[in-house]
Amino acid sequence: MRKVTLQDIANHTGLSKFAVSCSLSGKAGVSEATRKRVEDAAAMMGYQRPKPADEQREITLIFHDQVDSVSYELRTMLQDGMQKEAHRLGQAVRLQWTHDADRVEAMVKDSAGIILVGPHEKKTLDIVKASGLPSVRLGWVLPLEQADHVGGTDHEAGIAVGDYLFGLGHRDIAFVQGQEGYRGRMERYHGLRESLEQHADARLHVLRFDEDGGFIPALQTLQTAGIAPTALFCAHDGLALTAVSELLARGYRIPDDMSVVGFGDFSAATQISPPLTTIRVQGGEMGATAMRLLLERIETRGQPVVAKRILIASTFIERRSSGPAPRHSKWLTPFER
């Protein structure tokens, strides 16, 4: 069916195209009776009002392309959530994986809004801010930075794991951090510490090491110092898989001798034996929420804005890699028992 135009409505009503345009756009210059006559005719004829210019343009999803294997699965979940929500709402999107600020600058010129995923450099952030386009971040923001942000509940996850392990009787608990410098990992650590600090008999230890083969030496260093953790909270599932495989190879029984908890609930969490107790990050919902927030910002563009922080609660998934603390007060190797 041919699209109804302003001229069609003008011909039907016997009015000028200018009068029809003013009536439908809410501009002055026509009487209320004429405005109602035009609106009634437009509705009867099936006229579709054109969307504002911002809504006609695409939303640009910009993923930082220098991503490690740990983050890649989460990024895929975020992307899937954003694209499905955009499709549901009839919003066109385009996707770009880049860390090149010049490419970002070229893309913002014909975008309705921007979603940034990952730790983008200051130059990129400055370009997006200077464009004046509505934008949402799926990546850490500075304290009190006036930027919309959607994220997960890392700190709460740490608290939940601490409460869970303490409830199982564990008193020496180690946070397996691996490499330093990741804010999400530190949020999980601080949550774990907050939980265990509520109990005088709970002790928190940290395993920092090179993630390529450093786990067992780091654990042995603790044990040599007389520290015998019975539970590990790993900063991400990849570290948990390393811990489980290396502990099993050295005769540990999981969870009889050592409980292991991961973070992420990525595909490998159920592909090992025993399957991994972990925290499920709701990446799809995070992506969908970011899309909805950006569309809200586009719709209300020009109005006063107070930056939003939206956190999507993670889910605790209990499987067979965790259990009650062992009865012996200090763990002995299989050869010493």
Side-chain angles (χ1 to χ4, degrees), residues 65-264:
D65 61 347
Q66 295 182 340
V67 56
D68 55 44
S69 58
V70 174
S71 302
Y72 185 80
E73 191 164 350
L74 174 58
R75 301 283 181 91
T76 301
M77 294 164 60
L78 296 172
Q79 177 182 328
D80 185 61
M82 286 185 275
Q83 291 180 314
K84 284 183 176 178
E85 188 67 5
H87 177 75
R88 186 182 73 83
L89 297 172
Q91 172 63 54
V93 298
R94 59 180 175 179
L95 177 65
Q96 182 70 232
W97 285 73
T98 185
H99 66 279
D100 186 339
D102 293 333
R103 291 180 67 183
V104 172
E105 186 170 24
M107 297 190 73
V108 300
K109 293 178 180 178
D110 59 351
S111 294
I114 305 290
I115 296 180
L116 291 169
V117 182
H120 287 278
E121 291 79 2
K122 184 177 185 300
K123 183 178 179 181
T124 294
L125 300 178
D126 288 344
I127 288 171
V128 172
K129 183 177 181 180
S131 73
L133 291 174
S135 64
V136 175
R137 303 258 291 277
L138 282 157
W140 293 101
V141 295
L142 297 174
L144 300 185
E145 181 179 356
Q146 295 303 295
D148 288 331
H149 170 259
V150 176
T153 47
D154 294 82
H155 189 90
E156 287 184 41
I159 296 174
V161 171
D163 292 348
Y164 169 74
L165 292 174
F166 187 86
L168 289 174
H170 296 279
R171 296 299 179 263
D172 280 287
I173 299 169
F175 181 70
V176 182
Q177 178 171 310
Q179 296 176 350
E180 299 183 69
Y182 295 92
R183 183 169 168 183
R185 300 185 189 187
M186 292 311 301
E187 290 290 336
R188 293 161 218 158
Y189 165 75
H190 288 306
L192 179 64
R193 186 179 70 180
E194 180 178 324
S195 168
L196 299 183
E197 283 179 345
Q198 306 305 309
H199 310 284
D201 57 339
R203 293 166 292 276
L204 173 60
H205 315 285
V206 179
L207 289 179
R208 297 185 180 93
F209 54 89
D210 183 340
E211 295 185 16
D212 294 326
F215 168 70
I216 288 298
L219 179 61
Q220 290 174 336
T221 298
L222 281 185
Q223 292 174 335
T224 300
I227 299 169
T230 60
L232 308 176
F233 175 33
C234 301
H236 59 77
D237 283 352
L239 286 172
L241 297 182
T242 296
V244 168
S245 61
E246 295 197 14
L247 288 170
L248 289 174
R250 285 160 177 78
Y252 282 73
R253 300 169 303 171
I254 297 175
D256 295 357
D257 299 317
M258 184 81 77
S259 287
V260 180
V261 178
F263 182 90

Side-chain angles (χ1 to χ4, degrees), residues 64 92 128 157 184 267 275 307 324:
H64 196 287
V128 172
S267 55

